[in-house]
Amino acid sequence: MFLKHNRLVSFLALSLIVFTAVLTGQVRTAQALTNCTVAADDLVYDQEEQNFLAGINEYRRSIGAGPLTVSVNLNRSSAWMARDLVDRPDFPDHTDTLGRNPLVRMQQCDAVAPNAQVAENIAGGPSTGAEILAQWKTSPAHDATMRNTSYVQIGIARAYNPANRFPWQWATNFSSVDDGTRMPPGTQPPPPPPNQPGVGWSQIPGSALDVGTSRSTGWGIGSNKGIYQWNGSLFTGVDGSADKIAVGPDGQPWVINSLHQIYQRTLNGFRNIPGAATDIGVGGDGSVWVIGTNGAIYRWNGTGFQQMPGAGSHISVDPKGNPWVIGSDLGIYRWTGNTWQKMPGAGQDLGIGADGSVWLVGTNPVGNGNYGIYLWSDLAGWQQATQGGITVGAEATGRGWVIGGGGQIYRKDAPGANGVTAAPSSASAAFTGSRYTK
């Protein structure tokens, strides 16, 4: 995450005069004024915008500030700015492509009441409400705006353009006066492309059902159930067939076939391991965990599988040998060493890299049988990727691997746990009253 250095630029005194001279009389109802036309979809706020509203209001509650309501007028102004930001090749400041500063734009969107104090935060990069809230908390100027007890209403908008360096752009507008309008919640689906590489992802030749990687190599189960090894540019077949695969720190795979039999690959070929399973995970320390055919969870002790507490449907193991599991309720659970910790969210598959990066297939459809892909952040929670899919894996550096609904194989372009929906960096700027902070 990259926050631009702060700098202050004075507003012209004339702007303040216009502010008080034009906006006299009663507060008006929402209507599109000069250069403020936005798409119909922007007049409802999507799930991540709702998540941001819940997050900022909880944050304000924790410091004794009142909750913000969402104004139709402020949202119109925010939506106009978010779309303007995402359709520009650079990361601009608060002056839009029509040369308007936030105050003028809010006026032309009918979003400013007489004697109101206004503010704007903008950012490019994060896709989720939790992540953008966390980012703005780290910037004093943005944080001061969100904490300001004078503000009672907000406009929240994000826009998406895969061609932009920062495919997601956010704009939030604040006002100290309630204009009497309220935004209804919406349920816009996220826009990641379903069967083509999202921004920051590349398609790998071949078709697969499952993938597994280690510090030294990658493996996959082809759509024909053949077992393939990744050599850095393509997959080459080896003997055997399987449905599920996980790779140990030695670079050798463990697989489960269609009969639920478990095999470990050695220098002499595959050897059968006692037991039966439906999913398997191998940690960076070499520990092996499986989901049994009865849904129970088992850990390999060197000679057999020992039953552990809990049950699940999918499993992956972190570098320290602690598994993450998808439960029958689609809940996400992490083993702490002696108990299961319930994690936020819901999912259908997990993949963990040797660096500890955790990737998730969510439960939200994104088209053509695919679901949202997420990366865990200890600070911001689940961050949505620009790629959709049905199965996920992770290599040693944290790069995600995704299998699409048609068997397509996608790989994250850049390593690192912070490159999700945009370039490895993100940008932010804040405007308050008659000042720009950037």
Side-chain angles (χ1 to χ4, degrees), residues 140-196:
H142 299 78
D143 192 46
T145 296
M146 296 193 299
R147 295 166 61 95
N148 193 319
T149 58
S150 299
Y151 299 132
V152 296
Q153 283 203 298
I154 190 174
I156 306 167
R158 64 175 190 157
Y160 179 82
N161 182 353
N164 194 291
R165 180 188 176 198
F166 303 105
W168 286 103
Q169 298 279 352
W170 288 76
T172 53
N173 288 173
F174 299 77
S175 176
S176 63
V177 175
D178 190 328
D179 68 3
T181 66
R182 297 292 184 273
M183 283 285 296
T187 55
Q188 292 173 264
N195 278 332
Q196 56 182 317

Side-chain angles (χ1 to χ4, degrees), residues 73-96:
N73 298 327
L74 287 172
N75 225 74
R76 196 184 301 270
S77 174
S78 296
W80 200 101
M81 185 58 171
R83 177 52 56 188
D84 190 60
L85 289 169
V86 84
D87 288 341
R88 296 172 67 171
D90 59 340
F91 181 79
D93 58 20
H94 295 271
T95 301
D96 62 32

Side-chain angles (χ1 to χ4, degrees), residues 215 249 282-287 316-324 352-358 396:
R215 297 184 187 277
V282 183
D285 65 345
S287 59
S316 191
V317 186
D318 71 19
K320 296 181 179 179
N322 294 317
W324 291 52
I352 303 179
D355 69 339
S357 298
V358 182

